[in-house]
Amino acid sequence: MGMMAVFLAILASIACSSGVFGEQDVLGYGIDPERYRAACPDYRHYSMVPHRPLSDGPLSLPYQRPSPHCRTFSSPLVEKVIEDITSQMKDKDLARIFENAFPNTLDTTVRWHVDSKSEKSRNHKTGDDDGGHWNGVQSFIVTGDINAEWLRDSTNQLAQYQSLAKSDKQLERLILGAINTQAEFVIESPYCNAFQPPPPSEVPPVSNGQDDSVHPAYEPTRVFECKYEIDSLAHFLALGNQFYKSTGSRAFLHDRWYLAVDTLLEVLEEQAKPTFDPQTGHFERNEYLFRRRTIAGTETLNLGGIGNPLNGGTGLIRSAFRPSDDATILGYLIPGNAMMAVELKRAAEMLNAVGKKEVAKKLQARGDSIETGIWEHGVVTHKRYGEVFAFEVDGYGSSIMMDDANIPSLLALPLLGFVKRDNQVYQNTRKMILEQAGNPYYMEGKAFGGIGGPHIGLQHPWPMSRLVQAMTSDDDEEISDALKAVRSSSRLGLVHESIHVERVTDYTRSWFAWANSVFAQTILDVAARKPHLLFGKGAEPYEVG
């Protein structure tokens, strides 16, 4: 008996045993929605198997959305956008991936969402409610096949819904809850990147299976992993900045959010310090240390958990790890600093508009300092490509020349808002990182090509990099080629983390919500900028919101 047949048999038994009809007759079979949900298959397994109906395109891609009653959140407006886009798309395989990918975060990753004080109180038994902790609407968004929330992933997973939030109150509340939840994470453990389910959710924590020694210490029932990445904090700011821009709502601007911002600024101050005191020359121990018992050099920091020395007076902020969760070699990560500079200044603009002048002034000053540091220390002259952005620098004159697929990346600098697409330094950098002669992590083969990184290895580029390539290009052929490459490598109708250069069936992660969200964002971007590439000659732009 196939998986779906087994699933239907279970549902039938539930229907027969429940004896519930009337207002709970959601499927016409007297099925209680809560009991139905308990029988839903684990999406980690569900996503690995193709499901019908298949697309009408030559690849016959499967329909991978869970049953409506197994979805973790729903939005009629999201369903409307799916219909609007896919009904016009000429490439039916590409349309199927969008149909699966655009709602994937809502369908599968909203592990906990509470929208009332009374409901929170019913679920809350930890005695952790003092001081305003976990008050108001909350949302816990997992990354997909790992039952934990990354600040970076969750912000990107929700990004394609931000423009809909003003017209969909439930989406607005979901995103507001995500901001509130991230604020609690930042307040408690600002150096950490991934978090366990919040205590009020009563969802049990999971172990990451690692042996880590970290300072500042953290509570493992609250934190899944504690790799300090500057972009994690930048993504916290970005979530609120996007929400304010899309909705105009100030609902998240409360004491807990301001405390999270103060905590973030303290981290930036600590991580702006050099390795050696500029006056005495004495070694100054960094506030953050990370050591992991591992055989992979990218999974821990050298020199006893400190990392390589960094010079002072640069204006840049140290990042111990990259957005790939790999350790930096030189701690001034330029893409992460660029994102932080942009989001600090966006937050400053927002806070000026609501009358919070003092906080805005601090954010603006730090953002300006980082931006100046990038242009002074993060731009180097390459003998082949001219002036380019380095990936990492140390303030002593050393630099790492490469790019990684994960966002923020050098390729994504225009998407971050740091430079325009036509900026000459960016164009030089783009040329460098999109060919093997310039980027050691650009990989090509007969099946797939793009930017990868050390996280997976030297034969697995990430589809995410091709999607960012499309969104940062104005060239029709380049955009089309990138979309075709991702389409042809997504045989399960979902976007994977990485693809082997010689075999598209050799991939990592069948369920990776962040990648699906970036695909959806790419289709929406092309629909607005280059509608003819999706809908045919003479098509009108389609803009969400």
Side-chain angles (χ1 to χ4, degrees), residues 236-270:
F236 162 66
L237 291 177
L239 186 61
N241 289 338
Q242 293 167 12
F243 184 72
Y244 178 78
K245 181 180 179 180
S246 297
T247 67
S249 172
R250 303 181 184 184
F252 66 98
L253 297 176
H254 46 66
D255 289 347
R256 299 299 286 175
W257 187 84
Y258 286 116
L259 179 55
V261 170
D262 287 343
T263 305
L264 179 152
L265 287 172
E266 290 174 6
V267 170
L268 298 186
E269 181 66 26
E270 291 165 355

Side-chain angles (χ1 to χ4, degrees), residues 113-172:
H113 173 62
V114 61
D115 196 8
S116 71
K117 178 71 174 179
S118 60
E119 186 176 352
K120 183 190 76 69
S121 297
R122 285 199 303 271
N123 290 334
H124 181 67
K125 298 179 181 178
T126 64
D128 193 33
D129 195 34
D130 57 305
H133 300 181
W134 306 110
N135 281 343
V137 57
Q138 303 284 335
S139 305
F140 181 68
I141 313 295
V142 301
T143 185
D145 53 6
I146 303 172
N147 196 44
E149 175 175 326
W150 270 251
L151 297 181
R152 169 182 52 256
D153 292 34
S154 57
T155 292
N156 285 295
Q157 286 169 241
L158 293 168
Q160 69 268 21
Y161 311 127
Q162 291 273 15
S163 58
L164 300 175
K166 191 171 184 178
S167 301
D168 186 327
K169 190 66 175 178
Q170 295 305 310
L171 268 182
E172 180 181 345

Side-chain angles (χ1 to χ4, degrees), residues 188-194 208 210-220 223-229 271 285-293 299-301 304-306 318 320-321:
E188 182 168 336
S189 300
Y191 279 101
C192 300
N193 60 321
N208 68 8
Q210 303 294 342
D211 182 6
D212 297 340
S213 176
V214 182
H215 184 274
Y218 61 88
E219 170 53 55
V223 171
F224 179 81
E225 183 176 65
C226 198
K227 290 179 173 178
Y228 161 59
E229 302 159 354
Q271 296 307 311
R285 175 173 169 167
N286 196 281
E287 178 67 18
Y288 177 81
L289 301 174
F290 182 97
R291 287 174 291 183
R292 171 171 289 178
R293 191 181 299 275
E299 285 296 313
T300 191
L301 297 179
I306 299 168
R318 176 198 190 211
F321 290 86

Side-chain angles (χ1 to χ4, degrees), residues 1-214:
M1 183 181 292
M3 179 183 294
M4 185 55 68
V6 171
F7 181 46
L8 292 174
I10 293 171
L11 295 180
S13 68
I14 293 173
C16 292
S17 64
S18 67
V20 180
F21 293 92
E23 64 181 14
Q24 288 187 317
D25 190 16
V26 293
L27 299 178
Y29 297 103
I31 295 177
D32 181 335
E34 291 303 319
R35 299 191 71 184
Y36 187 111
R37 196 169 292 115
C40 292
D42 187 331
Y43 197 75
R44 285 176 296 181
H45 306 304
Y46 191 87
S47 62
M48 296 178 182
V49 180
H51 303 278
R52 294 180 179 273
L54 305 179
S55 67
D56 293 331
L59 295 179
S60 298
L61 297 181
Y63 179 79
Q64 299 294 76
R65 298 187 67 184
S67 161
H69 298 281
C70 290
R71 296 170 190 171
T72 57
F73 198 90
S74 61
S75 163
L77 191 51
V78 166
E79 301 302 325
K80 180 181 183 301
V81 172
I82 294 171
E83 175 60 27
D84 289 348
I85 292 284
T86 58
S87 63
Q88 298 183 71
M89 291 178 73
K90 299 301 182 181
D91 187 323
K92 296 307 178 185
D93 291 322
L94 211 58
R96 173 51 55 83
I97 302 173
F98 182 80
E99 183 180 12
N100 291 332
F102 180 55
N104 189 248
T105 289
L106 300 185
D107 283 355
T108 65
T109 71
V110 183
R111 189 65 72 242
W112 178 63
H113 173 62
V114 61
D115 196 8
S116 71
K117 178 71 174 179
S118 60
E119 186 176 352
K120 183 190 76 69
S121 297
R122 285 199 303 271
N123 290 334
H124 181 67
K125 298 179 181 178
T126 64
D128 193 33
D129 195 34
D130 57 305
H133 300 181
W134 306 110
N135 281 343
V137 57
Q138 303 284 335
S139 305
F140 181 68
I141 313 295
V142 301
T143 185
D145 53 6
I146 303 172
N147 196 44
E149 175 175 326
W150 270 251
L151 297 181
R152 169 182 52 256
D153 292 34
S154 57
T155 292
N156 285 295
Q157 286 169 241
L158 293 168
Q160 69 268 21
Y161 311 127
Q162 291 273 15
S163 58
L164 300 175
K166 191 171 184 178
S167 301
D168 186 327
K169 190 66 175 178
Q170 295 305 310
L171 268 182
E172 180 181 345
R173 300 294 289 175
L174 178 72
I175 299 172
L176 174 59
I179 299 171
N180 291 340
T181 298
Q182 284 200 7
E184 296 298 331
F185 290 151
V186 171
I187 291 167
E188 182 168 336
S189 300
Y191 279 101
C192 300
N193 60 321
F195 296 85
Q196 303 279 14
S201 72
E202 298 186 10
V203 177
V206 294
S207 171
N208 68 8
Q210 303 294 342
D211 182 6
D212 297 340
S213 176
V214 182

